[in-house]
Amino acid sequence: MLEYPTFLLYYLSMMDIMLLRGDDIMNKTLCNRLKSARKNLGLSQEYVAKLANCHRTTITAIELGTRKVTTDELVFFSELYGISSDELLYGTQNNTDIKMFARTFSSLCDSDKKEIFNLIEYKQRMKEGKTQYDR
């Protein structure tokens, strides 16, 4: 698990208190963002529950908004989904798609990377109306 500075843990603790007080609007948007992030990565609730060492029904309840998210769970989801806690809580985006692509891309073998570069080049040429013979 990543090390977090004290101020961030304090901030997350304060957010936990806000969530536990029943800020339903924040909770509903948070649960929607958590579900979306999980689905974007193609992860099942069962798989996430296994990693979180909890039951699938816990993940379901969190995503439905019937169970509040603790600070520790927020940190866990943030790390698992590769999304900042701010983005999960408030919906602020910090080039998440680019970060997720870069993280995934870096784990590929060289031949797969080359294939993706070729595909990008091909798509750019197609948008410009060029074929391989027009280079």
Side-chain angles (χ1 to χ4, degrees), residues 59-82:
I59 302 301
T60 301
I62 288 171
E63 289 182 356
L64 290 174
T66 58
R67 182 182 175 284
K68 304 294 182 185
V69 180
T70 67
T71 302
D72 289 340
E73 290 167 339
L74 183 62
V75 170
F76 168 78
F77 289 127
S78 175
E79 289 177 353
L80 178 63
Y81 300 150

Side-chain angles (χ1 to χ4, degrees), residues 2 15 18 37 42 56-57 63 69-70 72 75 84 86 93 96 114 116 122-123 126 130:
L2 297 174
M15 294 312 305
M18 285 176 60
R56 184 196 54 77
T57 54
E63 289 182 356
V69 180
T70 67
D72 289 340
V75 170
S84 72
D86 278 348
Q93 293 185 341
T96 302
K114 184 171 176 50
I116 289 172
Y122 171 77
K123 295 294 276 181
M126 292 302 292
K130 297 179 182 177

